Amino acid sequence: MSHHEATHRWIVTPQTARFTEPLVLQSGAVLNGYDLVYETYGRLNASRTNAVLICHALSGNHHVAGYHSEHDKKPGWWDNMVGPGKPIDTERFFVIGVNNLGGCHGSTGPSSINPNTGKPFGADFPVVTVEDWVTAQARLAEHLNIERFAAVVGGSLGGMQALQWSIQYPDWLDHCLVIAAAPKLTAQNIAFNDVARQAILTDPDFNGGHYYGGPGPKRGLRLARMLGHITYLSDDVMGSKFGRALKSGSYQFGYDVEFEIESYLRYQGDKFAESFDANTYLLMTKALDYFDPAQDLEGGLAEALRPARADFLVVSFTTDWRFAPERSREIVEALLSNKRNVSYAEITHGHGHDAFLMVDPYYHGVVRAYMEKIEP
Amino acid sequence: MNGIARKDFDLICQWVKPGSRVLDLGCGDGELLRELMDTRQVTGYGVEIDDASILACVKKGINVIQGDLEQGLSGFENDSFDYVILSRTLQTMRHTEGILKEMLRVGRQGIVTFPNFGYWKNRVQVLQGRMPRSADMPYQWYDTPNIHLCTVRDFEDLCAQHDFDILERVVLTQGKPVTLLPNLLGSLAVFRFEHRR
């Protein structure tokens, strides 16, 4: 193979933007300086009107699409949606993925060094909210000289950020794609998050959040992820994928791994605990719980969305019980009440919440058709 | 079929005032709404249940909401539209009265089109001992989506029962308005109505 032969892989390289202007967070805490790591795909056009921001969910990051190297095992987390010729087509759009503040993939977060102490922030890293993330993302846009996004897109917690964008910076985006999201979490949803947090907080290795240099609360994080994973799938898909299948074919009358579902969940939990930071998990789940743009507003979500100027595409999945279609319909109704341009697709899909990350002809067809109508 | 289908669209396009707000229930591939947007500068939404139709609407750049009309229009606020259109869908609905009331809750006026069961060709087929089939009702009895077929006169009775005033009525045969004995000679009925004030 010659050196110049075209690579069959799309190699992308993360970049880091450093911000020195202090950021006052919703909690009142102040971050004096911070880094945001991001990736871009495609080319910004001359009039700078074709930028699309992708907001990530709980365990996501800036690595949306493509590979970091020829040897990378897996592409970015939304590689089936974003890329050349994909529904969000990087031949037409300049796509930006950014790791949110508080993350553990390069942006300033609990595992970063606190300049005041010379040690990792740990539990001293302030709690950040969806509003704070959007503010930080807007600063990244300024840094990249982008005054307006053709679209801001997100799924799940990312969808909440997209929705918040339309409220917080209504004139900065033309289109808003809110996928498998909710205008706020239900009590049941917060309850799941709290059990996940308790698993981490009560891990003896948590050490009040200052566990860097030690083993860290891997057992807690693993449990948190196992619980989360159950809720991101549907009963049906678990049944069809694993059923009651046993690893050894018969009961062992003990407490080791016996059922295939146990094996799968433990594997997922282990993998996640090795690659993710527990403090970031705590922080992300808290941001989810706090998000409620209609809080304290008499007119509810409709009033919250009154400033919005973007056109919307809202998408939900029938078997998603963590961010159920009803929650998406609340968003749609609030947008209808404000006479906004909005389309809503309810995708019949068996895989629960995680369906938003999967390939489905109808789902991808709708996103593709919507993006194709955007004239940057 | 398509050429004839467009005739009720043409009528609706004439009736709808420029710049109004329109809700098109069972909007299909969005053809009518697109035409209303292009020729009458309306704004509004379609409602559809079918995936392929939703996709076609998004491709046309119209607002479309995926949902089941049988569940009512609870997502839409009172009096938020000038017109609510239900074209060739009424006869397929289980909750016929419910949807008509909902139409006049969310809109000032309703526009309904449906195949007239009283059309003479249908009557002849029934007299011959067969369920009728025609250009406007092209289905076999066992695979028809039409569960609440009615005649022009039946619909007018229902409107009277619910205090709906009929503002306009045109009955078409092969795309042409029929003025003589419309319940006998007309194949497709187009009504515009509102609540009695």
Side-chain angles (χ1 to χ4, degrees):
Chain A
M1 192 187 283
S2 89
H3 186 70
H4 295 286
E5 202 161 310
T7 164
H8 61 287
R9 280 194 154 182
W10 193 34
I11 305 294
V12 289
T13 310
Q15 291 165 274
T16 302
R18 168 146 295 179
F19 298 86
T20 50
E21 192 190 334
L23 180 66
V24 181
L25 303 170
Q26 205 189 353
S27 65
V30 179
L31 271 178
N32 283 320
Y34 54 95
D35 290 347
L36 290 178
V37 62
Y38 64 98
E39 284 178 12
T40 68
Y41 320 86
R43 286 220 177 113
L44 188 60
N45 63 13
S47 47
R48 315 182 88 82
T49 52
N50 69 334
V52 171
L53 178 69
I54 308 283
C55 305
H56 70 75
L58 187 56
S59 58
N61 53 43
H62 55 284
H63 186 35
V64 174
Y67 293 83
H68 282 156
S69 76
E70 286 293 343
H71 313 289
D72 240 3
K73 277 197 191 126
K74 274 185 161 182
W77 58 270
W78 222 3
D79 191 73
N80 60 32
M81 182 67 90
V82 177
K86 305 258 172 84
I88 298 173
D89 188 355
T90 51
E91 309 273 4
R92 294 183 65 226
F93 295 105
F94 176 67
V95 177
I96 302 163
V98 54
N99 187 208
N100 281 328
L101 217 49
C104 53
H105 294 93
S107 292
T108 301
S111 56
S112 309
I113 299 297
N114 182 347
N116 295 332
T117 63
K119 291 181 188 155
F121 280 99
D124 298 333
F125 194 85
V127 169
V128 291
T129 62
V130 168
E131 287 88 329
D132 296 328
W133 284 336
V134 168
T135 307
Q137 289 161 4
R139 288 196 179 176
L140 179 67
E142 283 174 334
H143 172 82
L144 296 171
N145 239 323
I146 292 160
E147 290 176 356
R148 200 179 173 88
F149 287 108
V152 176
V153 186
S156 188
L157 176 56
M160 289 173 163
Q161 292 158 56
L163 194 64
Q164 179 63 26
W165 258 97
S166 76
I167 297 168
Q168 200 170 323
Y169 297 105
D171 299 324
W172 288 43
L173 66 161
D174 292 325
H175 295 269
C176 186
L177 283 75
V178 181
I179 299 169
K184 63 176 178 224
L185 291 194
T186 58
Q188 187 193 43
N189 237 320
I190 294 170
F192 280 123
N193 282 346
D194 191 49
V195 175
R197 281 192 296 268
Q198 288 300 316
I200 295 168
L201 294 167
T202 58
D203 185 318
D205 291 323
F206 181 63
N207 195 28
H210 296 285
Y211 51 74
Y212 302 103
K218 290 222 159 63
R219 283 167 295 178
L221 183 55
R222 176 174 176 264
L223 280 177
R225 183 57 178 180
M226 285 167 76
L227 174 70
H229 207 87
I230 296 168
T231 68
Y232 302 146
L233 296 178
S234 67
D235 190 19
D236 280 355
V237 72
M238 270 205 202
S240 62
K241 237 174 147 173
F242 307 103
R244 292 181 53 84
L246 295 162
K247 280 194 85 69
S248 70
S250 63
Y251 292 170
Q252 301 299 310
F253 302 100
Y255 300 109
D256 281 339
V257 174
E258 289 195 64
F259 290 94
E260 289 286 0
I261 182 65
E262 295 176 314
S263 167
Y264 171 77
L265 274 181
R266 289 180 198 202
Y267 170 74
Q268 292 293 335
D270 286 337
K271 202 173 65 168
F272 189 75
E274 286 307 318
S275 61
F276 209 82
D277 181 53
N279 278 324
T280 290
Y281 201 82
L282 292 174
L283 180 148
M284 296 268 180
T285 57
K286 211 64 197 175
L288 266 168
D289 293 0
Y290 284 151
F291 184 67
D292 180 9
Q295 194 191 21
D296 304 328
L297 295 181
E298 241 174 67
L301 190 60
E303 185 181 338
L305 279 165
R306 205 151 293 156
R309 290 292 165 268
D311 293 350
F312 286 79
L313 175 67
V314 179
V315 177
S316 73
F317 298 86
T318 47
T319 53
D320 183 351
W321 54 282
R322 212 139 170 207
F323 290 80
E326 289 76 20
R327 304 280 85 77
S328 282
R329 272 186 240 125
E330 287 170 23
I331 298 172
V332 171
E333 285 167 22
L335 292 167
L336 289 172
S337 166
N338 283 297
K339 301 183 169 35
R340 296 254 55 84
N341 283 321
V342 52
S343 284
Y344 170 61
E346 202 168 294
I347 315 293
T348 303
H349 202 291
H351 277 73
H353 185 56
D354 271 353
F356 90 90
L357 294 167
M358 295 176 184
V359 176
D360 174 85
Y362 174 47
Y363 165 40
H364 276 201
V366 167
V367 173
R368 179 185 293 277
Y370 189 86
M371 292 303 291
E372 277 174 358
K373 294 304 282 187
I374 299 176
E375 303 279 350
Chain B
M1 175 75 200
N2 211 21
I4 298 165
R6 291 194 53 111
K7 278 292 166 192
D8 57 332
F9 286 5
D10 288 350
L11 259 183
I12 294 170
C13 285
Q14 288 165 31
W15 287 356
V16 167
K17 289 202 181 103
S20 34
R21 285 184 55 76
V22 173
L23 182 64
D24 186 2
L25 304 176
C27 64
D29 63 6
E31 193 184 350
L32 173 61
L33 205 45
R34 186 69 256 176
E35 196 165 317
L36 285 168
M37 286 165 71
D38 293 343
T39 63
R40 308 300 269 179
Q41 292 74 47
V42 306
T43 53
Y45 309 88
V47 178
E48 248 301 330
I49 194 166
D50 175 59
D51 292 355
S53 299
I54 296 277
L55 189 55
C57 288
V58 175
K59 281 183 178 162
K60 284 192 174 75
I62 69 164
N63 296 319
V64 64
I65 309 296
Q66 190 154 24
D68 182 3
L69 296 178
E70 300 288 6
Q71 313 282 328
L73 302 174
S74 61
F76 297 93
E77 291 177 346
N78 293 352
D79 298 317
S80 46
F81 296 94
D82 297 309
Y83 305 95
V84 181
I85 300 169
L86 186 67
S87 94
R88 294 169 186 253
T89 305
L90 184 69
Q91 77 281 357
T92 69
M93 293 208 48
R94 206 174 128 73
H95 301 102
T96 315
E97 291 174 279
I99 194 68
L100 290 171
K101 283 188 217 164
E102 277 287 84
M103 286 172 74
L104 291 189
R105 175 182 69 78
V106 304
R108 283 196 305 114
Q109 295 187 2
I111 296 175
V112 157
T113 80
F114 59 87
N116 173 28
F117 199 84
Y119 182 43
W120 71 271
K121 283 187 181 173
N122 297 336
R123 297 190 196 199
V124 166
Q125 289 178 71
V126 171
L127 280 176
Q128 287 170 338
R130 299 273 177 196
M131 285 299 285
R133 291 175 68 202
S134 68
D136 292 313
M137 297 193 307
Y139 303 98
Q140 290 284 2
W141 66 272
Y142 49 80
D143 69 359
T144 181
N146 299 333
I147 54 171
H148 281 146
L149 287 160
C150 70
T151 69
V152 168
R153 201 176 289 168
D154 289 332
F155 185 76
E156 288 173 348
D157 287 352
L158 186 65
C159 285
Q161 257 179 53
H162 286 285
D163 287 334
F164 299 161
D165 277 339
I166 292 165
L167 303 170
E168 249 172 309
R169 181 196 76 185
V170 174
V171 190
L172 302 165
T173 296
Q174 294 191 326
K176 292 199 180 68
V178 176
T179 42
L180 181 72
L181 301 173
N183 194 31
L184 186 64
L185 301 180
S187 171
L188 183 72
V190 189
F191 280 85
R192 186 159 64 89
F193 57 100
E194 67 180 10
H195 250 300
R196 190 159 300 151
R197 288 170 199 278

